[in-house]
Amino acid sequence: MKQKVSIIGSGFSSLAAACYLAKANYEVTVYEKNICIGGRAQQLTKGGFTFDMGPTWYWMPDVFERFFADFNTSPDQFYQLTKLNPAYSVYFGENDYISIEDSLEKIYETFESVEKGSSKKLQKFIKKAEDNYNIAIKDLVYKPGVSPLELVTLPTIKRLTQFVSTIKSDVRKEFKNERLVQILEFPVLFLGAKPADTPSFYNFMNYADFGLGTWHPKNGMHSVIKGIEKLALELGVTIQLNASAEKIIVENNTVKGLQINGTTIATDIIVSGADYHHTETLLDKKFRQYSEKYWEKRTFAPSSLLFYVGFDKKIENVDHHTLFFDVDFDTHAKDIYDTPKWPDTPLFYASFPSKTDSNISPENKEAGIFLIPIAPGLEDTKEMRTLYFEKIITRLEYLTNQKLKNSIIFKESFCVNDFKEAYNSYKGNAYGLANTLLQTAFLRPKLKSKKVSNLFFTGQLTVPGPGVPPALISGKLVSELVIQNPKS
């Protein structure tokens, strides 16, 4: 008789775990509290426009390929990809921007045109980043974070100094132009920490950026979720929507059931891809591994203020992904990590997927997604959202020399309160725990409960960390622990 696995949540990590466990002959049911699958990777449709509400960047295509290869298939059987050129552009002032194109050779030329001699330095920098990528993404991140010995390999021993130096010091040692520096420091934001607090070893993100490129799945990132859902269903997974997990039933320190919408469902194993902190509140206090004080002391990646905007015309002088670094990077970072508050002059990011994908907006119109990174736990009010939209749309008009405010058909917003409501997110965080040195691998919350047998966790608050590719990996790691678990 098959063992029953109940999975809480339907984000990337949950669906990945569901696929692996179904393949291993478990009876798998996914319970999603919302009306559609995807967790943070939900989609908003309105007036003929389509918006990814969460992740918009498709990086590390090799991780997706490796996931689907585990099921003897490939991404192109489930969704279509386009490599973006330019991958993205970065604005530093009015009509002052740098575009990152779709090959290393073009990027080297761009750097050389900005700072003489920088192309050769960049080649060495990227070679080191590629070596680190091959160690980290092809090996280390596929370890379950059970023991510090997982990190002790010959390649990592040779790179010990890269765990005490930082991205910021490395980049600024080689490159003097502030614009190039900020472009090289930018990928670290995906890890949820400041460049000054991120070990040098994490420069593998620069290879992910420049070496592997930026891609767009047709119809948006939600199409990737739909692809994994299709795979899960083919493997026999059952998915239930509007199914809110209310309590984890434990007897003799072992999982016995899961209360869904007031009904207790017997189960042998629970895997939670929901917010880790929230999941533990579903347990009686004596079964929780981590105290409120523990969570309070963690360094969280940012939350976000997001806007989804339909424009009645095409927007000029922007690319599919456009970053606005025309204000001080360090000041905004301090407002997120050091003394949390609403930033006076925020950096922001804008995505215009309709530049690439005609399915995203009606003809001759533009879909715009805007993101301001902010500290988790800030007071979130309608007035604050209105104020900040005015700040960024005014800057967008100025930096790109066009009028846009009168071309807005509608705008929707999503912020701290929504992250809490939709995802039970601790303090309304958007990305999980930052990947600092003291929150890496075995120092992150565990995939397997130490107090309750047959209770497991997956996703951005556990191993290996924030981001879509790590979420897929997290789903694989937790499934392997379930399969290996002698009590399961």
Side-chain angles (χ1 to χ4, degrees), residues 23-234:
K23 180 186 176 187
N25 207 33
Y26 289 83
E27 182 182 324
V28 182
T29 303
V30 173
Y31 297 97
E32 169 57 55
K33 73 183 279 285
N34 293 309
I35 61 173
C36 63
I37 64 159
R40 283 165 169 77
Q42 292 185 43
Q43 217 162 43
L44 169 68
T45 56
K46 184 172 181 176
F49 293 84
T50 300
F51 305 90
D52 280 316
M53 297 186 71
T56 55
W57 294 77
Y58 191 102
W59 271 12
M60 304 184 187
D62 53 319
V63 174
F64 295 86
E65 289 163 6
R66 184 166 171 175
F67 168 76
F68 283 104
D70 284 341
F71 303 92
N72 298 314
T73 186
S74 59
D76 61 12
Q77 299 301 302
F78 297 91
Y79 53 88
Q80 298 175 6
L81 288 173
T82 300
K83 191 174 188 183
L84 299 182
N85 187 32
Y88 56 90
S89 293
V90 186
Y91 267 90
F92 300 97
E94 184 183 9
N95 288 326
D96 176 14
Y97 64 89
I98 293 175
S99 293
I100 299 301
E101 296 187 76
D102 63 347
S103 73
L104 280 170
E105 290 70 25
K106 294 175 187 175
I107 296 169
Y108 295 147
E109 290 175 10
T110 296
F111 267 59
E112 189 66 26
S113 70
V114 176
E115 180 182 316
K116 190 171 177 58
S118 64
S119 61
K120 289 185 178 179
K121 292 179 179 179
L122 183 61
Q123 288 179 47
K124 291 179 182 177
F125 186 86
I126 292 299
K127 179 62 175 72
K128 184 185 290 186
E130 182 180 6
D131 291 342
N132 287 346
Y133 188 91
N134 288 332
I135 295 165
I137 303 303
K138 296 182 180 178
D139 182 22
L140 291 183
V141 296
Y142 284 90
K143 304 292 171 91
V146 173
S147 163
L149 295 178
E150 293 170 2
L151 299 180
V152 182
T153 65
L154 185 58
T156 57
I157 290 172
K158 290 179 178 178
R159 288 165 172 78
L160 278 179
T161 58
Q162 293 187 37
F163 288 92
V164 291
S165 60
T166 68
I167 293 288
K168 183 172 183 175
S169 63
D170 284 3
V171 169
R172 291 173 186 269
K173 192 187 304 176
E174 298 295 336
F175 303 91
K176 305 308 175 190
N177 184 278
E178 189 63 25
R179 297 182 302 167
L180 299 185
V181 165
Q182 290 190 33
I183 288 172
L184 287 169
E185 290 180 346
F186 148 68
V188 172
L189 299 180
F190 285 99
L191 301 173
K194 292 190 297 185
D197 295 333
T198 305
S200 300
F201 182 74
Y202 283 100
N203 70 358
F204 63 74
M205 291 297 292
N206 292 108
Y207 178 71
D209 179 0
F210 291 175
L212 299 177
T214 303
W215 302 73
H216 172 72
K218 186 177 180 181
N219 299 320
M221 285 292 289
H222 190 67
S223 65
V224 183
I225 279 286
K226 297 298 289 183
I228 300 174
E229 177 195 34
K230 182 182 178 186
L231 174 63
L233 294 174
E234 289 173 355

Side-chain angles (χ1 to χ4, degrees), residues 284-302:
D284 291 338
K285 207 163 188 177
K286 63 181 178 181
F287 296 125
R288 299 173 192 174
Q289 303 171 92
Y290 304 105
S291 67
E292 290 297 320
K293 186 179 289 185
Y294 170 88
W295 292 110
E296 189 66 38
K297 288 183 176 180
R298 296 309 95 190
T299 300
F300 274 81

Side-chain angles (χ1 to χ4, degrees), residues 1 13 21-22 47 70 81 93 123 163-164 181 197 217 219 266 271 274 288 317 332 358 379-380 395 403 412 435 441:
M1 186 173 171
S13 58
L21 291 170
D70 284 341
L81 288 173
Q123 288 179 47
F163 288 92
V164 291
V181 165
D197 295 333
N219 299 320
V271 176
R288 299 173 192 174
N317 304 323
H332 190 167
S358 61
E379 183 181 13
D380 171 16
R395 274 172 47 205
K403 297 295 183 184
E412 302 285 344
N435 259 338

Side-chain angles (χ1 to χ4, degrees), residues 355-424:
K355 292 286 178 192
T356 302
D357 192 337
S358 61
N359 293 339
I360 296 294
S361 72
E363 190 174 0
N364 297 321
K365 293 179 172 59
E366 202 85 85
I369 302 167
F370 299 87
L371 182 153
I372 302 172
I374 59 172
L378 294 185
E379 183 181 13
D380 171 16
T381 65
K382 181 180 178 181
E383 292 74 20
M384 199 62 80
R385 297 187 190 198
T386 300
L387 171 66
Y388 276 83
F389 184 74
E390 181 64 25
K391 282 177 184 274
I392 64 171
I393 200 70
T394 298
R395 274 172 47 205
L396 177 64
E397 287 185 325
Y398 167 71
L399 293 167
T400 62
N401 284 313
Q402 60 193 311
K403 297 295 183 184
L404 295 171
K405 292 176 185 177
N406 292 334
S407 295
I408 294 172
I409 304 169
F410 65 84
K411 68 177 171 68
E412 302 285 344
S413 63
F414 199 94
C415 196
V416 171
N417 293 344
D418 302 299
F419 280 104
K420 292 177 182 176
E421 172 65 25
Y423 313 126
N424 294 310

Side-chain angles (χ1 to χ4, degrees), residues 316-354:
E316 300 173 353
N317 304 323
V318 293
D319 290 307
H320 183 129
H321 295 300
T322 308
L323 303 162
F324 294 87
F325 285 4
D326 55 305
V327 299
D328 187 71
F329 184 102
D330 290 335
T331 300
H332 190 167
K334 287 176 184 175
D335 292 340
I336 295 173
Y337 297 103
D338 301 338
T339 51
K341 70 181 187 71
W342 281 95
D344 293 325
T345 50
L347 288 79
F348 69 98
Y349 152 69
S351 174
F352 303 98
S354 43

